Amino acid sequence: MISGAAAIAREVRAGRLRAVALAQQALDRIAAATDLLAITRTLADRAMREAAEVDAKVARGEDPGPLAGVPYAVKDLFDVAGLATTAGAARLECADPAGADAEAIVRLHAAGAVLVGTCNMDEFAYGFVTDNARWGITRNPHDRARFAGGSSGGSAAAVAAGLVAFALGSDTNGSIRVPASLCGVFGIRPTQGALPTTGTFPFVHSFDTIGAFARSAQDLALVDGVLRGDAQSGPCDFAPALLGGWFAQDLTAEMAAALAEFAQAIGPLPTVEIEGVAQARSAAFLITAYEGGRLHAPALRTDALSYDPATRDRLLAGAALPDRVHDRAMAFRAVFAARVQALLDRHGVLIAPAVAGPAPLIADPVVRVGGRDVPARANLGLYAQPVSFVGVPVVAAPLAVPGLPLGIQLIGAKGSDRALIAYAARLEAQGLLRVTPP
Amino acid sequence: MAELFTGQARETPDADLAAAVGDVLGIVLPPPCVPGVAANVRLLEDHLAVLDA
């Protein structure tokens, strides 16, 4: 079965595959995988209509676009015309339906992609596990007893399980990179502000980004190019370095070994450290709580009990943070960004783990930090959060390892998104990165 | 009323922290929120200490 976005689009454009058949197959796969809870709502009517449009264009000899007939899904914080945008929250299930599609969906539709469903997420994107009071827990396709990661866990699981060819998510503190890594697929958190967030439910305006998941770097480049409106590849002649210090602490034995083997294969790599990573992570944590809390404060004042308790109590506490804390954290952001940029000027790309190890068990929802077990919901972003803090692009990529997926971050300078994906594609071609089907 | 984010949260009872958060927001927090909000105030205070270190 042809399942990659580039391959599907090629076959549809050539008239060898019909988009309506591909859409139906995707809907059938989703129906057969409800135990994953990756997809919360299927969009059969819309999918068949969009697919028929693509087939009609092919029949007329028109170019249906670079993503012709490719089935995809979106995290349920993207507006889908006619559907309530729930952001994973029961309290928004009966909200007014969106009047129009999010800008990202508009661009994908214009490129011929076919939207088949919405994906599960942590409520209001505040978590790293994809577990909410309305829908429940998204399961990891590689081991259903484990988390998929979050907050875009439904999107990552849908792609890893082969339900769709690609999916959209959002990344504020790691919400693409964490689930991509735990589910073993590629994902990109783009340069802050590079892709349109119009028509998406916000969380933290200082950090919010949208991005894609795919099963190959080539597919990631294709989707990212459509979203960006520019499919040109970038040069990727980097002198990479491995991030040490904070990023070498608390790794599981399998991640430490896999990372060392990877670094040896492309190196040997120099190990560099950034001063103040702990402060950066805490600053990101505080900014998130402050901005997320203020966003939700009006609703919390009148209807706090309609929130998922795990989200509600974090937002309430954050809403009480004084302005001085946000000011202090933002001031440190500028300092830390300069330190990161200095390293990127020298190396082009920095490599770090995306998560400490494989996906945590749902029955044991903790990760080990500093010798203590701490909640996975808040702490799976340990290595992701300090990086997105400064707005640089990051490609999350699966190491070619046996067993449960382990992911790394390829971190670049602002604007180097396409070069980072090209670099990931090169490493994938060398067999060092690999998506392994569940 | 307890003062928030001054390094005292670990020594302050849940109810007092929740009351202080409610005071900032201009509401009385519903009882189910009290333990979780207090725990999160302490967590944020820990992060503030790291930032200020």
Side-chain angles (χ1 to χ4, degrees):
Chain A
M1 184 186 72
I2 295 173
S3 63
I8 288 172
R10 185 179 61 241
E11 296 300 303
V12 170
R13 290 169 105 174
R16 291 189 290 267
L17 284 178
R18 291 183 63 234
V20 290
L22 291 161
Q24 188 57 58
Q25 289 164 13
L27 292 166
D28 291 345
R29 288 193 298 272
I30 292 167
T34 52
D35 62 318
L36 277 180
L37 203 50
I39 303 288
T40 50
R41 294 174 296 183
T42 51
L43 305 169
D45 290 347
R46 174 177 175 140
M48 299 314 288
R49 189 174 66 247
E50 288 187 335
E53 287 173 15
V54 170
D55 287 337
K57 283 186 178 178
V58 174
R60 292 195 299 268
E62 299 171 14
D63 183 359
L67 289 169
V70 179
Y72 76 104
V74 296
K75 184 177 186 176
D76 191 11
L77 54 62
F78 287 81
D79 285 350
V80 177
L83 211 63
T85 308
T86 76
R91 70 183 312 276
L92 294 185
E93 200 174 357
C94 296
D96 291 340
D101 288 338
E103 175 60 23
I105 295 177
V106 170
R107 295 183 186 187
L108 293 170
H109 176 74
V114 174
L115 180 60
V116 298
T118 59
C119 301
N120 202 21
M121 56 183 287
D122 287 294
E123 187 181 78
F124 296 118
Y126 208 174
F128 289 119
V129 290
T130 305
D131 175 9
N132 64 58
R134 167 59 186 88
W135 302 100
I137 301 173
T138 295
R139 306 274 168 166
N140 193 310
H142 290 269
D143 180 351
R144 281 162 165 72
R146 295 176 186 271
F147 287 113
S151 64
S152 310
S155 303
V159 172
L163 308 184
V164 289
F166 73 91
L168 296 188
S170 66
D171 189 314
T172 299
N173 281 299
S175 285
I176 286 175
R177 292 162 288 159
V178 169
S181 301
L182 298 185
C183 291
V185 296
F186 289 87
I188 181 168
R189 175 198 162 88
T191 299
Q192 186 86 42
L195 297 185
T197 55
T198 307
T200 61
F201 199 97
F203 176 25
V204 179
H205 65 79
S206 292
F207 301 148
D208 285 347
T209 59
I210 64 156
F213 297 87
R215 285 191 296 276
S216 71
Q218 180 194 18
D219 280 359
L220 194 68
L222 177 59
V223 176
D224 182 76
V226 167
L227 293 171
R228 196 175 298 277
D230 177 1
Q232 293 294 311
S233 182
C236 56
D237 295 322
F238 300 129
L242 193 63
L243 283 178
W246 174 275
F247 297 94
Q249 296 170 8
D250 298 308
L251 300 177
T252 64
E254 57 262 65
M255 175 58 102
L259 201 54
E261 192 175 331
F262 173 80
Q264 187 62 37
I266 64 168
L269 298 183
T271 298
V272 297
E273 292 191 31
I274 315 171
E275 183 189 348
V277 182
Q279 286 171 282
R281 196 237 172 177
S282 287
F285 208 101
L286 290 161
I287 291 168
T288 298
Y290 175 96
E291 294 187 12
R294 271 161 178 69
L295 177 70
H296 286 276
L300 288 166
R301 284 192 181 96
T302 58
D303 199 14
L305 295 181
S306 67
Y307 281 68
D308 184 332
T311 313
R312 175 195 69 205
D313 297 345
R314 299 180 81 184
L315 290 170
L316 281 166
L321 279 167
D323 293 345
R324 66 175 168 81
V325 171
H326 188 261
D327 294 345
R328 168 88 178 89
M330 291 300 279
F332 183 72
R333 188 188 194 192
V335 172
F336 191 71
R339 294 173 185 166
V340 173
Q341 187 56 48
L343 284 175
L344 288 169
D345 286 345
R346 200 176 316 147
H347 297 286
V349 63
L350 301 171
I351 297 170
V355 284
L361 288 162
I362 293 168
D364 187 21
V366 295
V367 290
R368 198 139 184 91
V369 179
R372 289 190 308 129
D373 286 340
V374 294
R377 175 187 288 272
N379 292 286
L380 271 169
L382 197 65
Y383 309 111
Q385 218 163 352
V387 179
S388 39
F389 179 51
V390 295
V392 294
V394 188
V395 168
L399 290 169
V401 293
L404 291 167
L406 299 170
I408 58 170
Q409 300 181 87
L410 305 174
I411 304 158
K414 288 183 179 178
S416 69
D417 308 41
R418 290 168 298 169
L420 279 181
I421 299 175
Y423 184 59
R426 183 195 293 175
L427 296 174
E428 186 183 23
Q430 293 171 358
L432 300 172
L433 302 175
R434 183 180 67 219
V435 170
T436 304
Chain B
M1 187 65 64
E3 275 197 72
L4 292 170
F5 307 113
T6 56
Q8 305 300 314
R10 297 247 164 243
E11 290 77 45
T12 307
D14 286 4
D16 293 355
L17 289 175
V21 168
D23 189 54
V24 171
L25 296 177
I27 59 172
V28 176
L29 294 190
C33 305
V34 170
V37 168
N40 277 287
V41 167
R42 295 185 186 105
L43 179 63
L44 291 174
E45 201 172 86
D46 289 347
H47 279 294
L48 186 54
V50 172
L51 178 61
D52 286 337

